[in-house]
Amino acid sequence: MNRTFLKPLLLAITVISMAFGACAHPAPQAKQFPPKVKAFSQVDTVQVMSMAMGRTIKNVVVMPETYGNVRYLLMRYPVVYLLHGASGCYSDWSRKADLEELANEYGVIIVCPDGQDSWYFDSPIDPTMQFETYVSKELVQYIDNYYRTVAHRYMRAITGLSMGGHGALFLAWRHPDVFWSCGSMSGCMDITQYPGNWHIKDRLGPYEDNEQLWQDHAVCNLVDQLKACPLQPAQNIIIDDGLNDIFIKNNIALHDQLVEKEIDHDFAVRPGRHSWDYWVNSLEYHMLFFSRAFDRGAELLKQ
């Protein structure tokens, strides 16, 4: 697959694989962007109609510089879906991180949907909040129809921060035919521990009256479903959290579950809190991880 070259191992990824427990390592220095003439990139803000919700949803779409170059009009690209956190919106990532630089560097299209405070569920009590259907079906179909993508699970990844970290694993593990690679940064892995927080009860109803619904929508309870997935090769999973993050115990517990079930995944704990400094730095690790998965996917598609 023709793409811009990776930085020569710029990111020494701190990985904890199946055989090891969690540990902490220093994070790499934040990427610096000296003044320069930036290469041409395309950034769209598109409104996509959701038939499931009966309304349009905004999304930022970032393309690499080659996308608009006539010499590369036959090139197709993998896609990274990047989810925001609670109380956030579709433009959060584009305001905090240099997505154009990342799209150029890794030769990918980056899509940031507006997830509102949906938790990326299909709410059983609010028909205007059907974001599992929107992201995993309607948005993916729109992006594949209107942009030059490689429309295959091998060439799609999804990740996000906090609520979006939960959402990315929730969507990927429930739709492995859509997303081959997935990740979470500081994700809330067990929503049942937070019955009064972040509008979750507005999507699923009060916990005390709807305990089973909450259990069914918690990522930590999807591990058995993930283990039973018949699709091969198995998904590429990257999960990380900061040592001082509010969800660190959730993340370590999920890691332990995955180890117990012998599910391959990368897990890292680095210094940091529930903050944009941590997430912008973490995105570098995820992009490199996904880029390597896309390379493997491209080879599989040739077979």
Side-chain angles (χ1 to χ4, degrees):
M1 180 177 64
N2 192 354
R3 54 180 293 282
T4 46
F5 290 102
L6 292 174
K7 292 178 287 189
L9 296 181
L10 161 68
L11 307 174
I13 295 185
T14 306
V15 172
I16 301 176
S17 63
M18 301 235 353
F20 300 95
C23 66
H25 291 271
Q29 292 297 312
K31 192 174 182 181
Q32 301 298 316
F33 302 105
K36 63 180 180 179
V37 178
K38 294 194 69 171
F40 172 80
S41 293
Q42 243 181 311
V43 180
D44 291 344
T45 299
V46 296
Q47 297 199 52
V48 177
M49 181 64 192
S50 169
M51 299 304 295
M53 293 185 278
R55 60 193 180 103
T56 58
I57 305 296
K58 286 185 176 181
N59 312 264
V60 167
V61 182
V62 182
M63 291 147 284
E65 59 183 0
T66 52
Y67 195 94
N69 190 317
V70 294
R71 293 179 296 175
Y72 299 97
L73 288 180
L74 297 181
M75 184 180 292
R76 291 186 171 271
Y77 299 84
V79 183
V80 176
Y81 290 84
L82 187 55
L83 309 183
H84 65 76
S87 302
C89 71
Y90 67 98
S91 63
D92 282 2
W93 274 109
S94 61
R95 288 186 289 105
K96 297 293 186 177
D98 195 335
L99 299 187
E100 295 174 57
E101 180 77 8
L102 291 170
N104 289 339
E105 184 172 1
Y106 293 105
V108 300
I109 295 171
I110 300 173
V111 179
C112 303
D114 194 16
Q116 300 170 23
D117 283 328
S118 66
W119 285 82
Y120 303 97
F121 302 146
D122 278 354
S123 171
I125 63 174
D126 186 349
T128 69
M129 288 285 181
Q130 305 296 299
F131 278 84
E132 178 181 355
T133 295
Y134 175 69
V135 176
S136 66
K137 296 180 181 178
E138 295 173 327
L139 180 58
V140 168
Q141 183 177 27
Y142 178 93
I143 296 299
D144 286 344
N145 285 345
Y146 289 95
Y147 292 89
R148 298 198 312 274
T149 70
V150 184
H152 193 280
R153 67 185 287 257
Y154 292 162
M155 308 305 273
R156 295 192 199 100
I158 185 167
T159 190
L161 67 90
S162 194
M163 178 187 80
H166 177 282
L169 297 186
F170 178 83
L171 293 171
W173 293 358
R174 285 171 61 92
H175 302 277
D177 57 321
V178 178
F179 303 105
W180 190 44
S181 301
C182 57
S184 171
M185 314 168 203
S186 309
C188 176
M189 301 308 184
D190 186 0
I191 60 172
T192 67
Q193 296 184 21
Y194 308 96
N197 297 86
W198 309 302
H199 300 283
I200 306 173
K201 65 181 179 180
D202 296 332
R203 310 298 162 238
L204 300 176
Y207 178 75
E208 58 271 20
D209 299 326
N210 301 276
E211 182 176 349
Q212 191 58 54
L213 269 180
W214 283 65
Q215 296 288 348
D216 291 344
H217 286 79
V219 161
C220 63
N221 293 331
L222 298 181
V223 174
D224 286 339
Q225 178 177 319
L226 175 65
K227 177 68 175 178
C229 178
L231 292 179
Q232 294 296 326
Q235 287 177 318
N236 309 289
I237 304 168
I238 181 170
I239 299 168
D240 67 75
D241 202 3
L243 276 169
N244 301 113
D245 190 85
I246 58 175
F247 299 132
I248 185 61
K249 292 181 179 179
N250 280 189
N251 281 266
I252 292 173
L254 180 64
H255 163 65
D256 290 343
Q257 279 194 73
L258 295 172
V259 170
E260 181 183 355
K261 298 292 184 179
E262 299 184 339
I263 296 172
D264 287 326
H265 66 290
D266 285 6
F267 179 71
V269 176
R270 296 188 295 275
R273 299 180 181 276
H274 210 71
S275 69
W276 275 105
D277 285 342
Y278 180 85
W279 301 321
V280 171
N281 181 54
S282 182
L283 182 58
E284 297 268 4
Y285 291 94
H286 286 233
M287 293 298 292
L288 180 56
F289 180 86
F290 294 148
S291 181
R292 290 172 171 172
F294 293 148
D295 287 345
R296 293 194 301 272
E299 291 301 314
L300 289 171
L301 289 175
K302 292 177 183 177
Q303 296 175 7

